[in-house]
Amino acid sequence: MARSEKPARRNGDDELVDRPHVDAAPNPVWFKPVMVGFMLVGLVWILVFYLSGMQFPIPGIGPWNLMVGFGIAFIGFLMTTRWR
């Protein structure tokens, strides 16, 4: 037999506690362009790294450029979890 949900009670009394229904606020206007921008910048970073023969965008860090590109794109993908 399934258990029924019991409403929240306060101090053991039979008085019910009303909880306000809060809708999730929409994202600001800048959120979506910034999210997509991070993903595209990360992709372009990785493409430049491979197409330049692993010399650019930052010559001194070598293969770490790959991690920088994936890190930037990952920030964009993390932002998608907060998009409403």
Side-chain angles (χ1 to χ4, degrees):
M1 183 161 134
R3 295 186 338 187
S4 63
E5 294 278 333
K6 292 186 179 180
R9 304 217 184 256
R10 180 175 41 177
N11 298 331
D13 296 339
D14 287 338
E15 183 180 338
L16 295 178
V17 177
D18 290 329
R19 294 189 181 138
H21 178 67
V22 179
D23 288 332
N27 292 110
V29 175
W30 55 265
F31 192 85
K32 188 176 177 182
V34 170
M35 175 184 69
V36 172
F38 272 125
M39 290 187 278
L40 290 176
V41 167
L43 176 65
V44 168
W45 191 287
I46 293 167
L47 288 174
V48 167
F49 176 68
Y50 278 122
L51 294 176
S52 70
M54 300 183 187
Q55 294 179 3
F56 294 108
I58 303 176
I61 63 174
W64 283 98
N65 277 306
L66 209 58
M67 292 305 297
V68 171
F70 279 120
I72 293 170
F74 188 66
I75 291 170
F77 285 117
L78 285 178
M79 289 178 74
T80 62
T81 63
R82 298 289 183 182
W83 182 33
R84 294 184 188 100

